[in-house]
């Protein structure tokens, strides 16, 4: 089980702040008038149906989605000037697993801003890479091709690439998507450990009960923010209905809020 | 065995072939891994159009064809950035239009007497010292750029989305790569011919990929194979009296089949 830090709503110094942001791609605004504060040390889950703008929100913070109005501040500075602070793990479905790279070569990519004009990686890059791989328990896999790794190991390699530049913030796009229970729990514990070491984490997820319910703070998103707060406050039938446009009954089990899907009978009238 | 080396044209051809093969092997790794294998074929056809226009307008072949090829590569890159147009469709449109323009000019000017057999199928007999210098300069410049921008190229082709997050100048890198690609195809036409360049760009990296999972090694193997295929192919073209482009491609295909068989047996 995770041991989350509480979201400090009283803090005057948010690490990430969105002020009335509208953003999207190719003159198509996906998120409208979004205001949000992420505090240092937060571990936040971003929930919402497919197409709700979760990935777009991450990309807006990263500076790769177009911001049409409003402002995104990172440590009170416009986000595009603060990129080295952020580590990013994209959805792994986009990765070409047949690409000829080893785990170490992938992690080294995260050091590109440290010696950009050298054609090779310097000693510090390599040391940092092996250190972070050791920390994440994948040091012994450094020479392995990425396709030879298990799902959890692949996730850790990309996590290591995001961390090797020493970021303060980690953005993860569906980091536990498609994982079995054991791998998912292992990954979540690694993230929890990183959060306890001081890294602020914002992650998108579709796993309401197994992931989001254990996080200290969740944001329900569907083109705009529907609600945010601790899961116990946010996971109500009304909020989830507004977020997912579907009936999702709530129940309690051993002190945990469980979100159920309304049972359907398919194929019968 | 050393008989062909007594001819100056053959020595020039072998040197040019080794350089062009290595260059195609190097550039080909990036093309194949970006899933743009068809671009070598397409660009060669586009440059044929540029070569004809250069001839008609009395512009130096290297200047005219390179400029034409570069513009075609940039157009392909721009067109394929639109979500509705895939890479292969963009290549198909731009390059066949350019090739058609070349054909149209040839048929319009009945006085067009120059033979384009060499441009279509490759011929080492026509390689001059000037061609050799052009090939060497292009090979050196392209190798230097790809060496010093190695990390950037690798990151961009592996994970463009995250490369943008790290503020890599994606558009500039793409444009420079288009320039490298255009220059590679232009200097390769004489040896390989328009119709056969694609194989020289694709077969060495694909074979190298079967032999290694490591990006550095794939590059080294691809460059070595590209050069070896060219030299051996040209040597064979002398003895069998066939076009250099065809000999190189057939030799490369033979080894690709051998390595594929080896790879299949190893993975059983």
């Amino acid at each position: 089980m995770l041991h989350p830090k509480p979201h400090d709503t009283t803090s005057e110094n948010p690490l990430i702040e969105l002020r009335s942001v509208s953003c999207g791609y190719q003159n198509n605004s996906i998120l409208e008038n979004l205001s949000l504060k992420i505090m240092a040390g937060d571990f936040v889950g971003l929930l919402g149906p497919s197409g709700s703008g979760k990935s777009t929100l991450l990309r807006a913070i990263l500076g790769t989605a177009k911001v049409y109005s409003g402002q995104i501040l990172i440590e009170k500075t416009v986000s595009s000037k603060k990129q080295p602070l952020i580590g990013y793990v994209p959805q792994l479905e986009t990765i070409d697993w047949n690409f000829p790279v080893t785990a170490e070569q992938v992690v080294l990519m995260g050091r590109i801003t440290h010696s950009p004009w050298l054609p090779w990686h310097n000693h510090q890059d390599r040391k940092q890479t092996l250190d972070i791989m050791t920390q994440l328990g994948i040091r012994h896999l450094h020479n392995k091709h990425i396709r030879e790794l298990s799902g959890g190991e692949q996730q850790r390699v990309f996590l290591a690439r995001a961390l090797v530049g020493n970021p303060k913030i980690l953005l993860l796009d569906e980091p536990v998507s498609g994982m079995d229970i054991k791998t998912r729990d292992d990954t979540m514990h690694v993230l929890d450990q990183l959060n306890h070491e001081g890294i602020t984490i914002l992650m998108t997820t579709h796993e309401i009960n197994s992931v989001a319910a254990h996080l200290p703070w969740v944001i329900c998103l569907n083109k705009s923010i529907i609600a945010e707060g601790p899961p116990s406050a946010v996971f109500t039938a009304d909020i989830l209905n507004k977020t997912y446009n579907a009936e999702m009954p709530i129940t309690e089990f051993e002190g945990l809020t469980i979100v159920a899907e309304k049972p359907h009978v398919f194929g019968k009238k | 065995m050393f008989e062909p080396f007594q001819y100056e044209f053959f020595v020039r051809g072998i040197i040019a072939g080794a350089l062009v093969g290595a260059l195609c092997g190097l550039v080909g790794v990036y093309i194949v891994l970006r899933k743009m294998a068809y671009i070598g074929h397409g660009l060669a056809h586009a440059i044929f159009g540029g070569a004809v226009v250069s001839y008609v307008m009395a512009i130096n072949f290297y200047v005219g064809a390179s400029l034409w090829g570069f513009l075609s590569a940039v157009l392909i890159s721009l067109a394929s950035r639109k979500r509705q147009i895939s890479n292969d469709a963009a290549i198909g449109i731009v390059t066949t239009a350019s090739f058609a323009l070349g054909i149209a000019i040839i048929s319009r000017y009945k006085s067009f007497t120059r033979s384009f057999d060499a441009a279509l199928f490759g011929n080492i007999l026509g390689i001059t010292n000037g061609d050799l210098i052009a090939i060497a300069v292009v090979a050196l410049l392209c190798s230097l750029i790809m060496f010093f921008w190695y990390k950037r190229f690798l990151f961009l082709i592996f994970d463009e989305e995250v490369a943008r997050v790290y503020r890599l100048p994606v558009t500039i890198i793409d444009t420079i790569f288009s320039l490298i690609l255009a220059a590679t195809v232009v200097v390769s036409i004489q040896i390989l011919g328009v119709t056969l360049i694609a194989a020289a760009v694709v077969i060495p990296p694909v074979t190298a990929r079967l032999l290694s999972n490591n990006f550095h090694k794939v590059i080294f193997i691809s460059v070595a194979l590209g050069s070896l295929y060219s030299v051996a192919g040209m040597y064979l073209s002398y003895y069998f009296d066939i076009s250099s482009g065809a000999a190189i491609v057939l030799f490369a295909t033979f080894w690709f089949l051998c390595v594929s068989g080896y790879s299949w047996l190893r993975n059983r």
Side-chain angles (χ1 to χ4, degrees):
Chain A
M1 241 354 91
L2 302 174
H3 305 286
K5 288 182 181 178
H7 176 84
D8 181 7
T9 49
T10 59
S11 173
E12 291 292 312
N13 295 310
L15 195 54
I16 304 173
E17 184 175 7
L18 279 75
R19 294 180 181 165
S20 307
V21 169
S22 295
C23 56
Y25 317 95
Q26 296 177 339
N27 294 325
N28 180 22
S29 190
I30 293 184
L31 293 168
E32 294 284 352
N33 200 25
L34 208 79
S35 292
L36 177 68
K37 285 180 182 175
I38 305 288
M39 308 300 177
D42 270 358
F43 193 168
V44 179
L46 201 51
L47 288 172
S50 300
S52 59
K54 299 186 297 295
S55 300
T56 306
L57 175 56
L58 297 189
R59 289 182 189 137
I61 294 169
L62 291 163
T64 57
K66 186 88 178 157
V67 175
Y68 300 114
S69 63
Q71 255 189 331
I72 298 176
L73 304 174
I74 294 168
E75 288 193 325
K76 300 199 166 180
T77 310
V78 176
S79 70
S80 60
K81 294 174 183 165
K82 284 280 183 182
Q83 289 316 309
L85 278 176
I86 305 179
Y88 174 55
V89 182
Q91 287 184 30
L92 296 193
E93 283 83 359
T94 60
I95 300 298
D96 173 8
W97 297 107
N98 285 319
F99 196 99
V101 277
T102 61
E104 185 185 12
Q105 285 172 338
V106 172
V107 182
L108 275 166
M109 289 177 196
R111 296 289 297 178
I112 189 123
T113 52
H114 290 79
S115 51
W117 299 107
L118 277 179
W120 53 81
H121 293 281
N122 60 26
H123 174 72
Q124 183 62 22
D125 291 339
R126 292 187 182 281
K127 183 181 176 307
Q128 198 86 6
T129 294
L130 291 178
D131 285 350
I132 200 78
M133 291 181 85
T134 305
Q135 190 189 335
L136 295 179
I138 48 171
R139 166 74 173 82
H140 61 293
L141 305 170
H142 74 285
N143 263 335
K144 288 260 186 193
H145 181 250
I146 50 171
R147 197 184 44 201
E148 294 171 28
L149 309 176
S150 69
E153 290 166 346
Q154 287 172 341
Q155 187 60 256
R156 284 178 195 224
V157 166
F158 283 83
L159 194 55
R161 182 180 70 175
L163 291 169
V164 76
N166 295 319
K168 285 187 177 177
I169 306 162
L170 200 51
L171 303 186
L172 303 107
D173 203 352
E174 297 187 24
V176 292
S177 164
M179 285 183 177
D180 61 73
I181 295 172
K182 170 81 169 67
T183 311
R184 185 187 64 207
D185 283 358
D186 287 350
T187 304
M188 288 308 296
H189 275 98
V190 169
L191 293 178
D192 181 56
Q193 193 186 336
L194 292 168
N195 180 236
H196 276 74
E197 287 167 11
I199 294 177
T200 303
I201 299 176
L202 175 60
M203 60 175 275
T204 69
T205 182
H206 281 293
E207 316 280 335
I208 301 178
N209 292 318
S210 54
V211 177
H214 303 284
L215 298 176
W217 201 259
V218 291
I219 298 169
C220 289
L221 190 76
N222 195 346
K223 309 288 181 191
S224 60
I225 292 178
I226 309 294
E228 64 172 316
S232 56
V234 168
F235 289 175
T236 66
D238 183 44
I239 289 173
L240 292 173
N241 186 281
K242 280 182 186 159
T243 306
Y244 287 94
N245 294 319
E247 282 188 56
M248 299 168 88
I250 308 293
T251 181
E252 292 276 329
F253 178 72
E254 293 185 355
L256 268 179
T257 307
I258 307 286
V259 180
E261 283 183 32
K262 189 155 188 175
H264 292 277
V265 178
F266 296 103
K268 286 184 182 174
K269 288 192 177 175
Chain B
M1 187 181 168
F2 295 104
E3 183 203 324
F5 289 98
Q6 65 185 295
Y7 303 110
E8 202 181 325
F9 80 87
F10 187 82
V11 175
R12 264 200 307 267
I14 283 280
I15 296 169
L19 289 171
V20 160
L23 185 59
C24 287
L26 174 66
V27 174
V29 172
Y30 293 87
I31 289 174
V32 167
L33 292 176
R34 282 199 98 171
K35 300 186 169 57
M36 293 180 79
Y38 185 45
I39 199 169
H41 186 72
L43 214 50
H45 282 74
I47 285 169
F48 177 79
V52 173
V53 171
S54 305
Y55 182 75
V56 169
M57 294 177 74
I59 299 170
N60 176 282
F61 165 77
Y62 286 110
V63 175
S66 297
L67 196 61
W68 195 276
F70 173 61
L71 290 176
S72 302
V74 169
L75 267 177
I76 291 164
S77 180
L78 288 176
S80 59
R81 288 205 172 275
K82 293 208 172 292
R83 283 184 190 175
Q84 300 93 329
I85 304 174
S86 63
N87 254 335
D88 53 351
I91 294 166
I93 295 165
V94 174
T95 60
T96 47
S98 178
F99 187 66
L101 180 68
I103 300 292
I105 291 172
I106 289 175
S107 45
R108 173 73 182 80
Y109 291 88
K110 302 289 183 200
S111 58
F112 209 94
T113 50
R114 183 169 173 160
S115 164
F116 274 91
D117 279 4
L120 288 173
F121 307 113
N123 184 358
I124 59 164
L125 289 171
I127 292 171
T128 63
N129 282 334
D131 293 329
L132 198 56
I133 291 168
I135 291 168
V137 169
V138 167
L140 181 68
L141 283 177
C142 293
S143 307
L144 282 176
I145 293 171
M146 298 190 85
F147 175 70
F148 281 103
W149 273 29
Y150 166 81
K151 289 189 294 190
R152 287 177 167 79
F153 278 118
L154 170 60
F155 205 159
L156 180 64
I157 55 174
F158 178 64
D159 194 347
E160 185 177 327
E161 185 191 357
V162 179
R164 286 178 188 277
V165 170
Y166 283 84
R167 296 294 182 264
L168 258 65
V170 172
T171 311
I172 293 174
I173 296 172
D174 267 347
T175 308
I176 287 176
F177 188 71
S178 296
L179 198 56
I180 288 174
L181 185 55
T184 300
V185 174
V186 167
V187 297
S188 305
I189 279 182
Q190 188 89 42
I191 292 172
L192 296 158
V194 167
T195 49
L196 301 169
I197 282 178
V201 170
V202 172
I203 297 176
V206 170
T207 312
R209 179 67 192 88
L210 289 172
L211 293 169
S212 178
N213 279 327
N214 185 311
F215 188 72
H216 313 320
K217 289 180 186 166
V218 168
I219 287 188
F220 282 120
I221 296 170
S222 180
V223 168
L225 287 180
S227 200
L228 183 74
Y229 290 159
S230 285
V231 171
M234 290 177 75
Y235 199 72
L236 292 173
S237 81
Y238 175 85
Y239 279 104
F240 291 100
D241 195 21
I242 53 176
S243 83
S244 53
I248 291 167
V249 172
L250 288 173
F251 186 73
T253 308
F254 169 76
W255 282 106
F256 167 71
L257 292 173
C258 291
V259 172
S260 293
Y262 163 74
S263 175
W264 181 74
L265 285 173
R266 191 182 56 178
N267 294 329
R268 277 186 76 188

